[in-house]
């Protein structure tokens, strides 16, 4: 046997550097808080951001944008720009009309959906402030910016359409005149028993609470703005596109479909990407324009977005009006839920714009058992920047509405809001559970997460303090907010996507390549932009193959080296991409085992694998490491008959079900009734995201998510004036929280493994964002409820809170209203008072 | 106009347009691209670097205003392959995710610690007010800075976030608890 091994170990004789060969696997990779592999370059400034890329002869592109929300383009004259020294080219939309194609929308949610043409540069009409009308290409950045001023555009102003409800009213001005309507689609979804009948059947025993919630428009604000560089080889009609994107693989397909350039002639590279939060999950005008202009000129082109452009031309998030109605019997048992949703599409449909509210449709019932569910969504066009996926995409909106109205229902019933949740949630022994919205939740333990959170938070202690301080008429108002959320992660089973008319699948691809020296290369189609994929993937592979963590290299973000993929969004990376990798390691092991059996002269059934070593049952000295097998497959001197040399594998994994992480977030706020200023005093969360690969990365994801959810509750709002101008168009006016604006978060975990995948993982990317907005807003409403305050719009700015605490004439309201669960508060069936 | 500056230990002398921002001169003129740009209103702090030892948002300074200065960017902060304690602390305490804010955050922290070697958590939060991070929620950034402060004072870093041994299990048996 030793002879056979030696025969395979030629490389060991050629190269003798001790570091070239592998050390034994130390074990315990999964669940270990590994330092991130990504960090070395990031903390030393050796990062490859798109804007860092420079190429010989590189030209800079800038985009002239519409200053009006809605106007007919009478003329665009670029001739003066072309006269400027250093300007290479300038094009209007009309100049590019026959090559620029139309930007894609991959999610036609209904067959009748109105899908307006979306040219990268507007040709006839501009429909939002920031809509592109012309491009300039110049020798350097500054000249390209200067030249924009030399372009003369004549507009004929058309009416702006800003308000969603006005937009769908009779006789409204139209965003797309030729479509005859501002309604993009209507999407009805009734599930379970009939809602109206269910409520009627309960008769006098039914309690119904209605509220209107507003999901304000948000600006995603990845700190790296977008950017694109296109390097053409004109003679071969071949293009390398570098883009600060979350989706290099999808982008490649779409660029081919939009421009007609062969998909096989386009290579897309997502270099280091500085955050996305959904805003880089799209196919943007500038990506198409840089490509068609590079093709026209045969020169490399760079476009880098400024922050002000980013706020106009990168998708916005949220912007929904939610009319929600919940019904329960007097004893608190939920009967059903009815949701009427208005969702602002903006002026055009970007990649998955119409699908965002539909993703939320399935999550309104959240973790609660009920029999009837009625959902209806209307998508509406307005003359504003298109909306699309932003941090949670539909699911945070749904969670907000249900968690807020559970508190309102509790107040109406005179119940403790946590008790009401406990009465209605799925108990851990009831999983798997078929939800009223049609999903099957595979696992969960809401009791365990909540119990732990209550302890960490000292919920009972804080409630006692609140009661005492209310009795003392303390002008600082203590409020306690609860959010027991779940989310739908791991997008997505391809069949489900198909049934929802989404234009692609939800699988993910992985490849493992065992190198001759025993090192391992892993490619993944899940492309990171800050999450730490390279570290987590290395841990999964190290654990499965029994190789050292350091010996694994992960390759992502380049359609040449990781050609297949569906990219990163929807908390899918670990749950779909990670499982693809895990399955690919299984294929490697399967092949390696056959080879090991062959070389160890044992029956395959007698060969065992553990910690990176194959051994033969009953003969302890007959062993072989996986690295030795890799080398043997490379030398290929002695393989089983018919076996292919080398030790690689490919796996494309299509999930069978979603995963359902959940958790309990508790927030205590102190509100100064004199100023309306809210301070978060304590924030505790216990998340159950199933099995953990790297707890430190998980905690970081939770922190960042909570921060963005708090930002929605307290700080951020994209505001448009009546003419459709974005009045929060820069970081001066749009309040992204800085370090002093956010509290310390106490995080905890429970682990209820998912039963939908072999690693038991569930995904964590959006948990914090989804849970924290309602936790904070419930805390604020809890503090204000004795004053009869029923709904404060987000963000709950000091001004809004201050006003809510006063009558219209400015005199303070008193706290004579009943306390949170001392009895029914106000008339439950009318809308809010924001 | 002619400007002369020492950037990360190397002297450069160049002709620049008077309106050229320092950050563009460094990135486009000198190829020192370690300092990224995140806004156009001097709000985000991504472009922070040290000019004569003080932190400056390089998008709010003209290259000509930096004539005759000595500049440290993130690319010049380490001594050879030995990272500055703040760089080390950011990795040890997971003070970064996408890393786009990180160069500015680290240099702002270096400046903060040079003025206040023993800051409280609150002082760190306020000291970094001019630097936005969208990924981390700041908690681990604050921890990183406090740890670096402790190390730089000679008290050793705070216990790291990362474990060299496997984490203990938090598993909650789904059906049995
Ligand atoms: S780029 Fe300088 S502060 Fe934002
Ligand atoms: S780590 Fe991404 S912005 Fe700070």
């Amino acid at each position: 046997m030793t002879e056979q091994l030696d025969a395979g170990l030629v490389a060991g004789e050629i190269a003798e550097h001790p570091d070239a060969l592998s050390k034994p696997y130390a074990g315990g990779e999964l669940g270990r808080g590994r330092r991130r592999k990504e960090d070395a370059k990031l903390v030393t400034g050796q990062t490859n951001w798109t804007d860092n890329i420079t190429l010989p002869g590189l030209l800079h592109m800038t985009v002239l944008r519409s200053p009006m929300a809605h106007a007919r383009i009478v003329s665009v004259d670029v001739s003066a720009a072309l006269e400027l020294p250093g300007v290479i080219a300038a094009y209007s939309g009309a100049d590019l009309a026959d090559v620029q194609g139309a930007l894609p929308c991959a999610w036609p949610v209904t067959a009748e959906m109105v899908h307006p043409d979306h040219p990268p540069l507007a040709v006839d009409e501009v429909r939002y402030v920031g809509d592109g009308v012309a491009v300039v290409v110049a020798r350097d950045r500054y000249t390209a910016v200067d030249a924009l001023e030399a372009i003369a555009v004549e507009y004929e102003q058309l009416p702006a359409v800003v308000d969603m409800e006005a937009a769908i009213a009779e006789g409204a001005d139209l965003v797309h005149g030729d479509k005859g309507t501002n309604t993009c689609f209507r999407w009805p979804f009734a599930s379970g028993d009939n809602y109206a009948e269910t409520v009627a059947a309960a008769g006098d025993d039914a309690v119904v609470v209605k509220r209107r919630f507003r999901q304000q428009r948000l600006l995603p604000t990845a700190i790296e703005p977008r950017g694109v560089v296109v390097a053409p080889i004109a003679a071969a009609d071949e293009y390398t596109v570098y883009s600060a994107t979350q989706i290099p693989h999808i982008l490649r397909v779409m660029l081919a479909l939009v421009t007609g350039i062969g998909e096989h002639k386009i290579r897309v590279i997502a270099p280091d990407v500085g955050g996305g939060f959904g805003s880089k999950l799209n196919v943007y005008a500038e990506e198409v324009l840089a490509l068609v202009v590079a093709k026209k000129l045969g020169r490399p082109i760079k476009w880098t977005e400024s922050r002000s452009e980013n706020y106009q031309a990168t998708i916005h998030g949220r912007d929904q009006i939610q009319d929600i109605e919940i019904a329960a019997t007097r004893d608190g048992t939920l009967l059903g839920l009815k949701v009427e949703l208005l969702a602002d599409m903006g002026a055009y449909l970007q990649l998955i714009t119409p699908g965002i509210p539909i993703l939320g449709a399935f999550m309104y019932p959240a973790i609660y058992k009920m029999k009837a569910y009625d959902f209806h969504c209307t998508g509406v066009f307005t003359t504003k920047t298109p909306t699309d996926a932003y941090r949670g995409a539909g699911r945070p909106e749904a969670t907000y509405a249900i968690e807020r109205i559970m508190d309102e229902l509790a107040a109406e019933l005179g119940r403790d809001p946590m008790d009401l949740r406990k009465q209605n949630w799925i108990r851990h022994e009831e999983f798997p559970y078929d939800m009223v919205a049609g999903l099957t939740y595979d696992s969960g333990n809401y009791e365990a997460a909540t119990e732990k959170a209550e302890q960490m938070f000292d919920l009972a202690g804080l409630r006692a303090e609140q009661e005492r301080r209310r009795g003392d008429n303390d002008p600082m108002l203590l409020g306690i907010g609860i959010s027991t959320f779940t989310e739908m992660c791991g997008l997505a089973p391809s069949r489900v996507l198909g049934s929802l008319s989404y234009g692609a699948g939800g699988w993910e691809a992985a490849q493992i390549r065992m190198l001759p020296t025993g090192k391992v290369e892993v490619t993944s189609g899940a492309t990171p932009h800050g999450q730490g994929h390279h570290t987590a993937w290395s841990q999964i592979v190290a654990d499965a193959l029994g190789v050292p963590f350091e010996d694994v290299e992960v390759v992502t973000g380049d359609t040449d080296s990781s050609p297949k993929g569906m990219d990163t969004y929807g908390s899918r990376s670990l749950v779909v991409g990670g499982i693809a990798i895990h399955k690919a390691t299984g294929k490697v092991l399967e092949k390696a085992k056959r080879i090991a059996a062959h070389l160890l002269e044992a029956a395959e059934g007698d060969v065992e694998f553990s910690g990176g070593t194959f051994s033969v049952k009953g003969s302890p000295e007959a062993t072989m490491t996986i690295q030795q097998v890799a080398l043997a497959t490379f030398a290929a001197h002695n393989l089983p008959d018919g076996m292919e040399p080398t030790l690689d594998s490919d796996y494309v994994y299509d999930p069978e079900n979603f995963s359902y992480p959940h958790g309990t977030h508790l927030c205590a706020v102190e509100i100064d009734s004199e100023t309306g200023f809210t301070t978060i005093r304590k924030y505790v969360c216990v998340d159950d995201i199933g099995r953990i690969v790297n707890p430190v990365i998980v905690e970081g994801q939770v922190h960042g998510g909570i921060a963005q959810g708090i930002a929605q509750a307290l700080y951020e709002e994209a505001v448009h004036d009546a003419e459709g101008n974005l009045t929060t168009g820069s970081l001066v006016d749009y309040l992204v929280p800085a370090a002093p604006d956010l509290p310390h978060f106490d995080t905890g975990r429970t682990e209820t493994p998912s039963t939908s995948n072999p690693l038991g993982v569930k995904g964590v990317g959006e948990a914090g964002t989804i849970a924290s907005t309602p936790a904070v807003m419930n805390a604020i409403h809890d503090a204000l409820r004795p004053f009869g305050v029923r709904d404060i719009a987000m963000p709950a700015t000091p001004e809004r809170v201050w006003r809510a605490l006063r009558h219209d004439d400015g005199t303070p309201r008193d706290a004579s209203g009943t306390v949170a669960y001392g009895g029914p508060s106000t008339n439950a069936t009318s809308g809010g008072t924001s | 106009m002619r400007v002369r500056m020492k950037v990360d230990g190397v002297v450069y002398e160049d002709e620049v347009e008077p309106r050229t921002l320092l950050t563009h001169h460094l990135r486009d003129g000198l190829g020192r691209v370690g300092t990224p740009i995140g806004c156009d209103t001097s709000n985000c702090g991504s472009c922070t670097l040290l000019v004569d030892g003080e932190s400056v948002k390089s998008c709010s300074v003209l290259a000509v205003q930096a004539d005759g200065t000595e500049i440290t960017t993130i690319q010049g902060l380490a001594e050879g392959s030995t990272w500055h304690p703040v760089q080390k602390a950011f990795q040890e305490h997971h003070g970064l995710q996408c890393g786009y804010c990180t160069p500015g955050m680290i240099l702002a922290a270096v400046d903060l610690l040079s003025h206040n070697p023993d800051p409280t958590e609150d002082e760190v939060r306020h000291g970094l007010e001019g630097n936005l991070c969208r990924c981390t929620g700041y908690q681990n950034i604050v921890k990183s800075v406090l740890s670096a402060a402790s190390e730089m004072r000679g008290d050793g870093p705070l216990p790291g976030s990362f474990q060299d041994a496997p984490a203990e299990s938090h598993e909650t048996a789904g059906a049995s608890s």
Side-chain angles (χ1 to χ4, degrees):
Chain A
M1 187 211 54
T2 319
E3 273 167 22
Q4 282 162 344
L5 280 188
D6 286 348
L9 284 173
V10 266
E13 290 159 18
I14 301 166
E16 284 158 24
H17 192 289
D19 291 346
L21 301 176
S22 290
K23 297 175 182 63
Y25 177 57
E29 272 309 328
L30 284 189
R32 176 186 290 202
R34 277 287 188 187
R35 284 170 194 80
R36 295 204 321 167
K37 290 185 167 181
E38 290 83 349
D39 292 343
K41 65 181 174 186
L42 296 169
V43 300
T44 55
Q46 297 171 56
T47 319
N48 192 26
W49 310 117
T50 301
D51 189 56
N52 292 4
I53 293 165
T54 183
L55 296 164
L58 183 70
L59 302 177
H60 292 260
M61 182 177 89
T62 49
V63 181
L64 183 68
R65 300 184 182 279
S66 168
M68 287 180 210
H70 197 190
R72 197 173 70 79
I73 298 172
V74 180
S75 64
V76 181
D77 182 358
V78 299
S79 56
L82 288 168
E83 297 299 311
L84 296 173
V87 172
I88 313 298
Y91 306 104
S92 67
D95 295 336
L96 297 179
D98 54 345
V99 292
Q100 68 173 351
L103 295 178
C105 171
W107 203 335
V109 293
T110 65
E112 303 77 30
M113 182 186 84
V114 174
H115 185 181
D117 190 43
H118 186 186
L121 279 185
V123 180
D124 303 315
E125 253 181 55
V126 288
R127 294 189 174 86
Y128 64 94
V129 174
D131 211 353
V133 289
V135 292
V136 166
V137 179
R139 213 173 53 181
D140 64 279
R141 266 181 227 271
Y142 282 43
T143 307
V145 172
D146 289 346
L148 294 179
E149 303 203 357
I151 298 176
V153 185
E154 195 186 327
Y155 295 103
E156 180 187 307
Q157 194 160 359
L158 297 169
V161 180
V162 179
D163 182 79
M164 263 195 282
E165 289 180 293
I168 52 169
E170 196 68 26
D173 294 316
L174 295 176
V175 179
H176 298 275
D178 58 326
K179 301 295 181 196
T181 177
N182 288 325
T183 299
C184 174
F185 63 86
R186 291 183 193 284
W187 200 84
F189 176 64
S191 192
D193 297 347
N194 180 282
Y195 175 80
E197 286 169 14
T198 304
V199 177
D204 281 351
D205 196 29
V207 177
V208 174
V209 176
K210 294 181 188 176
R211 286 290 184 275
R212 162 168 283 207
F213 299 127
R214 178 81 203 222
Q215 295 288 327
Q216 79 270 35
R217 200 172 253 257
L218 298 176
L219 307 177
T221 321
I223 301 296
E224 181 201 27
R226 290 186 295 122
V228 57
V229 174
V230 178
I233 303 174
D237 202 25
E238 284 176 11
Y239 306 88
T240 301
V241 178
Y242 302 85
S243 181
T245 181
Q246 296 173 227
I247 53 163
H249 300 91
I250 295 173
L251 181 60
R252 182 193 194 199
V253 181
M254 292 297 170
L255 286 176
L257 292 174
V258 170
T259 63
I261 297 168
E263 186 184 348
H264 58 309
K265 298 289 190 183
I266 301 174
R267 171 186 183 188
V268 178
I269 298 175
D272 293 318
V273 177
F277 314 112
S279 71
K280 293 173 181 167
L281 192 192
N282 230 302
V283 179
Y284 280 105
E286 297 82 3
E287 290 166 325
V288 174
L289 292 169
L291 178 57
V292 300
V293 169
K295 179 177 160 99
K296 248 181 182 320
L297 298 176
R299 303 268 305 266
I301 301 283
K302 178 192 278 188
W303 170 78
T304 301
E305 190 179 51
S306 71
R307 176 62 57 196
S308 308
E309 277 186 295
N310 176 263
Y311 277 1
Q312 294 181 348
T314 290
I315 62 98
H316 294 176
R318 313 279 192 263
D319 209 348
Q320 300 178 354
I321 296 173
Q322 305 165 302
D323 284 306
I324 180 168
E325 179 177 325
I326 196 165
T329 53
R330 297 234 159 247
D331 74 349
T333 308
L334 294 186
L335 292 168
L337 195 63
K338 184 176 172 194
V339 178
E340 179 69 49
L341 190 63
L342 282 183
D344 194 341
M345 306 284 101
Y348 299 101
L349 303 179
Q350 284 278 356
L351 192 61
I352 53 172
T353 302
I356 302 307
I358 307 311
L359 274 176
F362 301 95
M363 296 316 292
Y364 280 87
I367 63 171
Y368 307 113
K369 296 180 281 188
M370 60 185 82
K371 295 209 162 54
Y373 178 47
D374 195 353
F375 175 91
H376 181 262
C377 175
T378 307
V380 184
F381 289 113
T382 58
T383 53
K384 288 179 276 181
T385 300
T387 58
D388 206 315
Y390 167 63
R391 197 106 202 205
R395 292 159 290 170
E397 296 93 315
T399 304
Y400 180 82
I402 182 72
E403 287 302 299
R404 280 282 299 113
I405 207 158
M406 284 300 283
D407 266 31
E408 298 298 308
L409 176 65
E412 174 59 23
L413 294 169
R415 292 282 303 277
D416 177 275
M418 187 63 99
D419 282 350
L420 186 69
R421 285 171 168 80
K422 289 177 180 173
Q423 178 182 348
N424 285 286
W425 72 33
I426 306 158
R427 292 192 310 275
H428 67 265
E429 68 272 15
E430 294 176 300
F431 289 96
Y433 190 86
D434 294 327
M435 287 299 295
V436 68
L439 301 169
T440 301
Y441 293 0
D442 62 341
S443 73
N445 191 330
Y446 310 139
E447 298 94 320
T450 300
E451 193 185 321
K452 188 164 180 177
E454 285 179 349
Q455 277 168 13
M456 286 169 64
F457 189 70
D458 187 18
L459 182 58
L462 280 163
R463 279 286 183 217
E465 178 186 332
Q466 182 184 47
E467 203 174 314
R468 195 180 67 240
R469 285 171 53 184
R470 279 179 175 168
D472 297 346
N473 280 325
D474 189 337
M476 287 298 283
L477 311 173
L478 170 61
I480 295 163
I482 299 167
S483 167
T484 49
F485 82 104
T486 189
E487 68 164 317
M488 172 176 74
C489 276
L491 305 185
S494 297
R495 269 190 237 163
V496 174
L497 291 177
S499 71
L500 293 172
S501 315
Y502 178 65
W507 48 264
E508 196 47 85
Q511 188 180 50
I512 309 276
R513 299 194 286 260
M514 291 290 296
L515 303 181
T517 55
K519 311 288 181 189
V520 188
E521 274 177 351
V522 181
T523 72
S524 168
T527 306
H529 41 284
Q531 295 87 345
H533 289 38
H534 288 211
T535 303
W537 292 177
S538 297
Q539 291 180 259
I540 292 174
V541 170
D543 181 71
L545 297 182
V547 300
F549 171 76
E550 297 76 17
D551 283 2
V552 184
E553 185 68 20
V554 178
V555 180
T556 53
D558 181 341
T559 60
D560 262 14
S561 52
S562 59
K564 282 178 289 197
M566 283 292 179
D567 306 309
T568 291
Y569 49 87
S571 294
R572 70 188 304 273
S573 290
L574 178 58
V575 191
V576 188
I579 301 302
I581 288 169
H582 181 73
K583 298 250 184 193
T585 60
K587 277 170 89 174
V588 164
L589 288 177
E590 214 174 283
K591 179 171 178 182
K593 192 174 191 181
R594 286 176 58 201
I595 296 161
H598 175 75
L599 294 174
L600 295 167
E601 293 178 333
E604 215 184 306
D606 291 337
V607 175
E608 292 172 329
F609 180 72
S610 165
T613 301
F614 293 95
S615 55
V616 179
K617 262 184 234 160
S619 33
E621 71 297 344
T623 65
M624 197 174 177
T625 66
I626 185 143
Q627 291 91 348
Q628 288 172 316
V629 175
L631 189 52
T633 62
F634 170 74
H637 295 168
N638 182 10
L639 297 178
D641 289 342
M643 176 162 293
E644 285 177 60
T646 77
L647 190 51
D648 306 327
S649 79
D650 263 304
Y651 201 98
V652 179
Y653 172 70
D654 199 345
E656 277 156 30
N657 189 5
F658 297 96
S659 61
Y660 297 93
H662 67 83
T664 298
H665 287 224
L666 299 172
C667 174
V669 298
E670 296 280 356
I671 296 176
D672 185 336
S673 56
E674 296 300 316
T675 63
F677 197 85
T678 301
T679 309
I680 296 177
R681 166 173 155 187
K682 195 169 193 179
Y683 195 101
V684 164
C685 64
V686 174
D687 283 290
D688 192 324
I689 56 160
R691 279 198 50 209
I692 303 273
V693 175
N694 185 318
V696 184
I697 288 178
V698 161
E699 191 171 336
Q701 289 287 309
V702 171
H703 288 175
I706 296 172
Q708 277 185 25
I710 292 176
Q712 177 174 12
L714 294 181
Y715 303 117
E716 297 182 14
E717 181 172 25
V719 180
H720 289 81
D721 65 16
E723 277 75 52
N725 298 301
L726 178 65
T727 58
T728 52
S730 78
L731 273 172
V732 175
D733 307 296
Y734 188 79
L735 212 170
V736 170
D741 305 321
L742 292 168
H744 182 91
F745 318 118
D746 286 322
T747 58
R749 279 204 318 274
T750 54
E751 278 189 36
T752 313
S754 168
T755 56
S756 301
N757 64 66
L759 287 178
V761 296
K762 299 183 187 172
V764 69
E766 290 139 338
T769 309
I770 292 174
S772 63
T773 312
V776 174
M777 290 304 287
N778 276 340
I780 291 174
H781 287 88
D782 183 59
L784 303 184
R785 193 162 280 119
F787 298 85
V789 176
R790 295 155 50 98
D791 190 52
I792 292 194
M794 293 189 288
T797 58
E799 183 189 337
R800 283 182 177 150
V801 172
W802 188 88
R803 283 188 193 285
L805 283 167
R806 273 150 191 84
H807 298 289
D808 290 345
D809 65 1
T811 55
R813 291 172 187 271
D814 59 33
S816 58
T818 41
V819 243
Y821 32 92
S825 51
T826 42
N827 170 21
T829 46
S830 63
T833 56
S834 65
Chain B
M1 293 172 80
R2 215 154 179 77
V3 293
R4 187 186 157 91
M5 56 187 81
K6 193 170 184 182
V7 181
D8 297 333
V10 178
V11 177
Y12 298 86
E13 202 173 307
D14 295 87
E15 206 51 54
V16 299
E17 275 189 72
R19 62 173 176 164
T20 306
L21 296 175
L22 175 57
T23 185
H24 284 138
H25 177 54
L26 292 171
R27 292 180 56 81
D28 296 344
L30 307 184
R32 302 298 288 171
V33 291
T35 306
I37 299 173
C39 74
D40 42 15
T41 49
S42 300
N43 287 93
C44 75
S46 305
C47 64
T48 305
L49 37 71
L50 301 179
V51 177
D52 292 334
E54 298 287 320
S55 79
V56 164
K57 290 182 176 178
S58 60
C59 72
S60 62
V61 175
L62 297 171
V64 292
Q65 292 174 294
D67 186 31
T69 60
E70 190 167 336
I71 290 172
T72 305
T73 78
I74 192 72
Q75 290 170 283
L77 188 62
E79 304 269 351
S81 60
T82 308
W83 292 357
H84 187 280
V86 177
Q87 288 173 304
K88 266 197 317 209
F90 268 67
Q91 173 168 48
E92 283 304 311
H93 297 280
H94 193 25
L96 66 152
Q97 290 179 27
C98 81
Y100 200 78
C101 70
T102 308
M105 212 50 102
I106 287 177
L107 289 165
V110 168
D111 181 56
L112 168 72
L113 296 180
S114 76
H115 293 106
N116 181 358
D118 192 7
T120 63
E121 172 178 341
D122 217 43
E123 286 168 344
V124 172
R125 285 185 182 269
H126 281 95
L128 297 178
E129 197 163 19
N131 291 69
L132 297 178
C133 174
R134 196 59 158 166
C135 299
T136 63
Y138 301 103
Q139 186 157 322
N140 286 343
I141 291 177
V142 173
K143 201 164 151 197
S144 304
V145 176
L146 291 173
S147 176
S150 174
E151 176 161 17
M152 288 164 72
R153 289 195 309 271
D155 299 337
L158 304 182
S161 300
F162 292 95
Q163 309 108 15
D164 291 317
E168 86 224 63
S169 171
H170 288 248
E171 187 159 329
T172 306
S176 63
S177 73

